[in-house]
Each structure stands twice: as structure tokens, then as C-alpha cells.
């Protein structure tokens, strides 16, 4: 059934095969951005940056934005005593600013309150209606404002004491609602959606495919796609029926279409999305409702959903009430924005929740960015070893001699030879943590080569005959840094950019294909900018979270007591021996 629908959809327009359209979820404007939100955006951004490096002919497009309608936003604005439109403007601008500060290279930032989006929603609604997929019905159920969805009994937890029901997914309370709504015939798309989910690499990581298939093993109920306007007024009106407004999730999902110009046919040049990045909490909406809505409208569903897990903070769910929400701008003051990007991509894995801890962030950033990457660049650029401040050309006979004489040189070379292929495989799957592992392993091998080659023993003045070897050691080290810099660009565009600038790697030689090219054949001067890539982060006592301070206090008390005990024992021992 689905295959014939897709064929029909293809006939609507010629899809541009070089298009690679990527989306992030659009973010609710009921609260300021935190690192979890930034994580969705950084994954999508790093994915797109890799695509642009690896496939320069592809038309890569990244869209992000804000989700601004519905009860949740209505209530948040009322809570702040600000007119809702102004409230949306303010919070939406904060998302835009955070993403800009974090180097998210989005091609579009869509807001669901924009006219272009309202037109797309109206057109989509009319398409569903004209195809007979919408009907009006009396509807009752438990509505969760925080999740913006009706929930079934199996999705609820009853607190026996208070008699209140809560959403199992989010833990927020639900309210009983009886109203006349428009319903979407979701039940008719069960087989089609299942077929779509089961396609190779459709849902990644695979564990989320299993979750969807489990949900699809039970009959799908039809879903309500409108709310009465007198209850939810901050929403898009249903075409030709002002008494109802469009359900916020249908409204929100259509952003992916409005951004590429739907309903103007030009949208087909970029449709369907190659990858949609989402968090695990919104899997049902993107993995069941969304393909069903699209198929019902005669449109092709996305090629892949990339689902990531969540960040906890020191083992706890992030929440305003726990006062543990990590603000990306504040975190960047300590770690730098590039450091924060690196930490999120290096430490986060899509298939399970990650824990954001200050201690871990310090350890990783100091050891990998400052001590391993930064230190190597500083050493290769040190005036004592490199007085002319050049990226020297290697001497062929010295390179061969080093490779023959030093195991460390061979290990570095092997690591470099494998790096491009391995990192390519990892980037293709959004396995950024494995990209980081591979690059850091290569940098360790290069640091080790530098140590074993002892360039400081060949410094000018020792003997002029040493110059070719010294230059070759620096050239081989800088070349390893150049290659690591190219690979790291999607994860840390600015830091990798500064590294490549320092080495004066021309802008048009930073693409993926240059990983296969060899060292420069003639020496070139280094850029005059500082070689300090990443300043070691020094712990500031006041920045430590309370439990860590407590732990340290206890540890220092314990070690003081231990020392005093030892002193006592020593004294006793010496007095008994005299
Ligand atoms: N507005 C909806 C999405 C509509 S898309 C058509 C929404 N917004 S959200 O602001 O609540 O969440 C946006 C994204 O942030 C989701 O992918 C969500 O999973 C992600 N995160 C929210 N908290 C998170 C963590 N603690 N950790 C990681 N990501 C998290 O849902």
C-alpha cells in the first residue's frame, strides 16, 4: 500500500538527489534554552558540517526554530504577566542567540507564529480534509498540558493519596477534558507507518525502532487534531471553523514543510528531509503521527529519524524545581562554547542518557583539548624549536629514517592512515564520541612521536647538520595536527578553524578530501596569532556544585587526620627507639 503511495508522491515532482535537508525539533518557548536543547541543535549542526565537508556538491540545509503555540505557552506568558506575543519574541530570541553563540550554522530559523507557517498549516489541513482523513467527534480524555497531548490510561500514573493522575513520560499532571474536536484517522495508517519504520536505517539508533514497533503492535487510536478556540486561543485557527484551533503538535510538525516553502512546489526540491534529529521524548510524534500525517497528505515521510537520549545533571533529571538546569551561556563562560560543544558530542551517546558533571567536563576538556591537542600545537610552534615560525617541508630521507628508527613514528603514521576512514564511518552514523576517540588516539600517538624524536636535542646551535631532522619532526607533527584539525571541524568549527589558521591551511584545502593529501612541499610561515588553542581550565572554588565542595571538604579532613595519625605514630616510634 505504502509503496504505491510513495510512487505517486514521487510523480508529484522530481526530488533533487543532491539535497540533504536536516532539521532539529522546534523548541517550546515556555522556558529558556538549556544544554539539552543545545544538544539537539549541536548534533544536527555537526552532522551538516560533516556533510558539507565530505560532499561539497550536496545542497545541505539545516533548519531549526521555535514552537510557540498552545496552552503551555499561553500559561507560561500569563505566569510572567507578559502579553503572549511579546513573551514568544523574547524567548525565541534567546534560542536564536544561544544557537548563534554556539556556532549552529542553520539556514533557516522558523517560528510557528510566522505568516508563512500559518499558510502552510492551513493548506496542509485542507489537504487532509479534502482527502477525507479528518472528521468531527465528541472526544474525552486525559490531557497533559506539559506534554501537549491526550494520554491513554496506560500512559498515566495514579497517585492514590491525592487522586491525581500524572503522565508517566514527563511526570506532569493531567486534566480530564471533554470537548468536540476534529479527529485524524490515524488508525488507518497503522500498516503504512509500520512499513515505513521498518525500512533499513529509518530509525537510528535501532533501539528506538524497536520502541516504535512495540507501540505499533497495538491498534492505533485516531487522534484529536484540534481544540476548542475558547480553551486554546493561542493557536492557528482551523480553516473555515473559527470555533476550533489546530492541535499544537500538528501545527508544530508542519514547520518542517513551511521552512522549505510548502505549499509552493519549490519545496519538493528539498523534500523529504534526509535526517530529522529529535530527542527520545518526542519519538511518538515523529515516528507515528508525522509519517501518518504526511502519507495522508500524499507527501513522502522523512528518510531518517535520528533519536538522541537525554542529559541528566549529576545524575538527576534537569528541572527548574531542582535548580539544576544548565544554561549554555553560563556553562560556556567556564568551558568556552567550543569546549561545551566538544563535551556534549564527546560524552553524549544517542542510545542512552548522558550525565553532565562539572568534574567530568573539566577532566575531559583539560586532558583532551588543553593537554593533548593544545599542548602539541604549542610545542611544535615554540620559538625555541621553531625560531623561524614556519610549517616546514619535510625532508624525504629524514622521514624515512624516522619511520625506520622509531616505533613511535610508525604508530603515528598508522594511526593517521586509519583516521580518515574511521572518522568517516563514525560521522556517517553521527557517532561523534567515536570520532573524538579516534582523533585523540592519533594525537596521543603524535605526542608520543614528538617525545621519542626529542627535537629539543636538535635545536639550532647544537649542530647545523641537525636542521633537516628537526624540520622533519616539526613537519610531521604539524601535518598530524592539520589532519586532526580538518576532522574536528564539524565538532568544534571555531577551535579547529583557529588551528588550521595558525598552520596557514588555505580555506579551500580544509575539505574532507584533503585528508588524503600529503604534507606541504615547501615551507610556509605560520600565522602570527597565538598558538594557545585551549586554555587549561583552573578550578574556581565558587563554581563547584555544593555536593562536590562537601566531598572535597570531607576528603581534606580525612587526609589531614591521616597525616596527623602518621605523625603521631612516627613520633611514638622514634621515642620508643631512643
Ligand atoms: N516543541 C516540541 C518539539 C516540536 S518538533 C515539531 C518540543 N520542544 S522542547 O523544547 O521541549 O524540546 C526540544 C528538544 O530538546 C527535544 O528534542 C528534546 O528531546 C530536547 N531536550 C529537552 N530536554 C533534554 C535533555 N535534558 N537532554 C537532551 N535533550 C533534551 O518537544
Amino acid at each position: 500500500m505504502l509503496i504505491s503511495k510513495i510512487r505517486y508522491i514521487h510523480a508529484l515532482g522530481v526530488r533533487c538527489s543532491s539535497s540533504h535537508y536536516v532539521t532539529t525539533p522546534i523548541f517550546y518557548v515556555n522556558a529558556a534554552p538549556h544544554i539539552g536543547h543545545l544538544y539537539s541543535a549541536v548534533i544536527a549542526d555537526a552532522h551538516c558540517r560533516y556533510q558539507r565537508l565530505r560532499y561539497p556538491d550536496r545542497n545541505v540545509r539545516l533548519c531549526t526554530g521555535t514552537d510557540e503555540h498552545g496552552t503551555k505557552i499561553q500559561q507560561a506568558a500569563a505566569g510572567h504577566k507578559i502579553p503572549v506575543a511579546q513573551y514568544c519574541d523574547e524567548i525565541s530570541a534567546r534560542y536564536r542567540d544561544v544557537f548563534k553563540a554556539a556556532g549552529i550554522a542553520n539556514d533557516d530559523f522558523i517560528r510557528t507564529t510566522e505568516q508563512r507557517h500559518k499558510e502552510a498549516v492551513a493548506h496542509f489541513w485542507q489537504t487532509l480534509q479534502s482527502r477525507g482523513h479528518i472528521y468531527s467527534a465528541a472526544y474525552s480524555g486525559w490531557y497533559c498540558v506539559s506534554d501537549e497531548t491526550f494520554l491513554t490510561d496506560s500512559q498515566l500514573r495514579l497517585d492514590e493519596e491525592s487522586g491525581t493522575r500524572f503522565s508517566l513520560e514527563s511526570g506532569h499532571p493531567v486534566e480530564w477534558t471533554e470537548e468536540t474536536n476534529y479527529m485524524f484517522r490515524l488508525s488507518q495508517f497503522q500498516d503504512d507507518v509500520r512499513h515505513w519504520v521498518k525500512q533499513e536505517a529509518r530509525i537510528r539508533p535501532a533501539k528506538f525502532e524497536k520502541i516504535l514497533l512495540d507501540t505499533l503492535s497495538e491498534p492505533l487510536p485516531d487522534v484529536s487534531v484540534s481544540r476548542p478556540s475558547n480553551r486554546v486561543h493561542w493557536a492557528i485557527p482551523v480553516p473555515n471553523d473559527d470555533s476550533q484551533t489546530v492541535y499544537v503538535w500538528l501545527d508544530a510538525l508542519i514547520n518542517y514543510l513551511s521552512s522549505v516553502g510548502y505549499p509552493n512546489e519549490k519545496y519538493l526540491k528539498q523534500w523529504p528531509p534526509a535526517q530529522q534529529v529529535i530527542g527520545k521524548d518526542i519519538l511518538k510524534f515523529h515516528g507515528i503521527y508525522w509519517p501518518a500525517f504526511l502519507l495522508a497528505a500524499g507527501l513522502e515521510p522523512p528518510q531518517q529519524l535520528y533519536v538522541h537520549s537525554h542529559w541528566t545533571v549529576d545524575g538527576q533529571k534537569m528541572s527548574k524545581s531542582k535548580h539544576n538546569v544548565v544554561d549554555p551561556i553560563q556553562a560556556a563562560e567556564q568551558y568556552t562554547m567550543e569546549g561545551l560543544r566538544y563535551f556534549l558530542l564527546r560524552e553524549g551517546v544517542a542510545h542512552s542518557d548522558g550525565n553532565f558533571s562539572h568534574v567530568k567536563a573539566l577532566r575531559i576538556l583539560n586532558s583532551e583539548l588543553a593537554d593533548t591537542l593544545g599542548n602539541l600545537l604549542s610545542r611544535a610552534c615554540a620559538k625555541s624549536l621553531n625560531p623561524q615560525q614556519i610549517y616546514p617541508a619535510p625532508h624525504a630521507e629524514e622521514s624515512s629514517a624516522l619511520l625506520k628508527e622509531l616505533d613511535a613514528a610508525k604508530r603515528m603514521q598508522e594511526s593517521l592512515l586509519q583516521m580518515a576512514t574511521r572518522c568517516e564511518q563514525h560521522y556517517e552514523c553521527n557517532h561523534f564520541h567515536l570520532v573524538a576517540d579516534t582523533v585523540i588516539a592519533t594525537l596521543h600517538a603524535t605526542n608520543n612521536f614528538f617525545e621519542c624524536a626529542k627535537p629539543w636535542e636538535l635545536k639550532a646551535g647544537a649542530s647545523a647538520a641537525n636542521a633537516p631532522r628537526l624540520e622533519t619532526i616539526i613537519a610531521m607533527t604539524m601535518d598530524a595536527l592539520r589532519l586532526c584539525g580538518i576532522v574536528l571541524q564539524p565538532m568544534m568549527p571555531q577551535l579547529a578553524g583557529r588551528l588550521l589558521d595558525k598552520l596557514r591551511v588555505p580555506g579551500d584545502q580544509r575539505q574532507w578530501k584533503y585528508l588524503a593529501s600529503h604534507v606541504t612541499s615547501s615551507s610556509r610561515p605560520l600565522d602570527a596569532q597565538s598558538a594557545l588553542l585551549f586554555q587549561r581550565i583552573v578550578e574556581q572554588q565558587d563554581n563547584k556544585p555544593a555536593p562536590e565542595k562537601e566531598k572535597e571538604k570531607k576528603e581534606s579532613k580525612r587526609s589531614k587526620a591521616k597525616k596527623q595519625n602518621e605523625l603521631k605514630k612516627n613520633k611514638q616510634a622514634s621515642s620508643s627507639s631512643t
Side-chain angles (χ1 to χ4, degrees), residues 121-133 262 296-299:
V121 170
H123 191 273
F124 194 89
W125 180 280
Q126 280 161 333
T127 309
L128 292 184
Q129 205 165 35
S130 65
R131 289 169 152 247
H133 299 299
Y262 176 89
L299 303 177

Side-chain angles (χ1 to χ4, degrees), residues 344-455:
L344 293 176
L345 294 174
R346 204 261 179 282
E347 203 38 40
V349 287
H351 55 80
S352 54
D353 288 352
N355 187 32
F356 191 94
S357 106
H358 175 68
V359 172
K360 207 168 16 171
L362 278 200
R363 187 170 44 74
I364 289 180
L365 298 180
N366 279 341
S367 88
E368 299 188 355
L369 298 189
D371 301 346
T372 305
L373 172 62
N375 201 27
L376 189 61
L377 179 70
S378 303
R379 291 178 92 184
C381 296
K383 289 234 169 82
S384 55
L385 287 185
N386 190 345
Q388 291 167 285
Q389 292 293 285
I390 52 167
Y391 183 157
H395 299 260
E397 61 292 358
E398 292 294 343
S399 314
S400 318
L402 281 162
L403 284 166
K404 225 182 262 165
E405 289 163 26
L406 292 182
D407 277 351
K410 271 181 253 156
R411 281 198 299 271
M412 173 181 75
Q413 199 194 34
E414 271 163 29
S415 190
L416 281 167
L417 282 174
Q418 290 166 354
M419 183 172 71
T421 330
R422 288 200 177 155
C423 290
E424 184 167 327
Q425 284 164 358
H426 300 324
Y427 269 130
E428 293 289 338
C429 308
N430 286 355
H431 289 160
F432 306 109
H433 61 295
L434 296 180
V435 173
D437 270 352
T438 311
V439 174
I440 295 298
T442 302
L443 287 168
H444 281 151
T446 311
N447 269 300
N448 191 242
F449 158 74
F450 198 84
E451 274 300 309
C452 295
K454 300 189 172 69

Side-chain angles (χ1 to χ4, degrees), residues 25-28 34 36-37 40 67 249 252-253 255-256 278-279 281-282 286 308-311 318:
I26 48 168
F27 302 88
Y28 282 132
H34 61 54
H37 303 128
S40 288
D67 188 354
W249 265 102
L253 288 163
N255 93 84
Y256 303 130
I278 58 164
D281 54 324
I282 52 177
H286 285 82
H308 65 76
S309 300
H310 278 188
W311 282 96
M318 245 190 290

